Amino acid sequence: MAEFFTAALAPPNVLFTVLLLVCGLYWIMVILGVLDIDLFHIDLLDVGLEADVDVDVDADAGADVDGFEPGIGHAILHFFYVGELPTMVLVSMMVLSLWAFSMLGNYYLNPEHSGAMAVAILFGNLAASTVVLKFVALPLRSLYLILNKDYNAPGGVLGKRCKIITSHVTHETMGQAEVPTKGAPIVLNVLARDVHTFQKGEEAIVVKK
């Protein structure tokens, strides 16, 4: 046991040991109810995410949907499911992997704690931990989506036909529209695109959030 603690506090491993202790303390506080699991959660704007409220409507079915092109940083975050899983879950998995590989790598490959070898092991550790994070997070993401799915939420409405149910809708005056479904219709708060005015009973196409 003494050898284990000595290895954990050795210079190549001490940083990851401290980070692991911090993560452990965080999860203890979550279990005790002191902290919320989503305290450090990062929300990302998902391009193309379908919304169920506050959408624009237009009579032109070919209208374009406004949006933006995500950058490489956004793509990297999505690749590791940042914003889809609680951030501290991802951080904790990464720290645990870094600590385990650092302990094993330096124990077997760098018993003398050589600085050059420690750096080489660190780079290999980062690469291996990145792969571990991706593959471990994948099933957790699926489970998390199932556990947090809102079965009462309406389905996607972009591109669907709707009927105005208030007296009128303009680009300045918000009204309501119904999107028919197999069950109860979905009621949306809507604004008209540009200067077109919709009257009650007219149909339109949902084109934008």
Side-chain angles (χ1 to χ4, degrees), residues 3-21 95-114 117-119 121-122 125:
E3 185 179 3
F4 173 81
F5 285 112
T6 300
L9 297 177
N13 304 322
V14 65
L15 174 61
F16 299 129
T17 299
V18 171
L19 291 176
L20 187 64
L21 290 174
V95 169
L96 178 60
S97 179
L98 288 169
W99 177 81
F101 282 126
S102 181
M103 289 282 287
L104 293 172
N106 284 286
Y107 181 80
Y108 289 106
L109 303 177
N110 189 26
E112 302 298 327
H113 302 314
S114 166
M117 180 60 74
V119 171
I121 292 173
L122 174 61
N125 186 0

Side-chain angles (χ1 to χ4, degrees), residues 53-77:
V53 295
D54 297 333
V55 296
D56 294 339
V57 296
D58 199 329
D60 181 6
D64 293 330
V65 178
D66 295 338
F68 67 93
E69 292 296 329
I72 186 171
H74 188 273
I76 292 174
L77 291 177

Side-chain angles (χ1 to χ4, degrees), residues 9 20 39 61 122 147 195 198 207:
L9 297 177
L20 187 64
L39 177 63
L122 174 61
L147 294 176
V195 295
F198 291 94
V207 296

Side-chain angles (χ1 to χ4, degrees), residues 140-162:
L140 288 180
R141 171 181 174 270
S142 300
L143 178 62
Y144 187 77
L145 291 176
I146 292 173
L147 294 176
N148 289 274
K149 182 176 181 180
D150 184 0
Y151 290 96
N152 295 316
V157 295
L158 294 182
K160 299 232 178 131
R161 189 175 296 274
C162 64

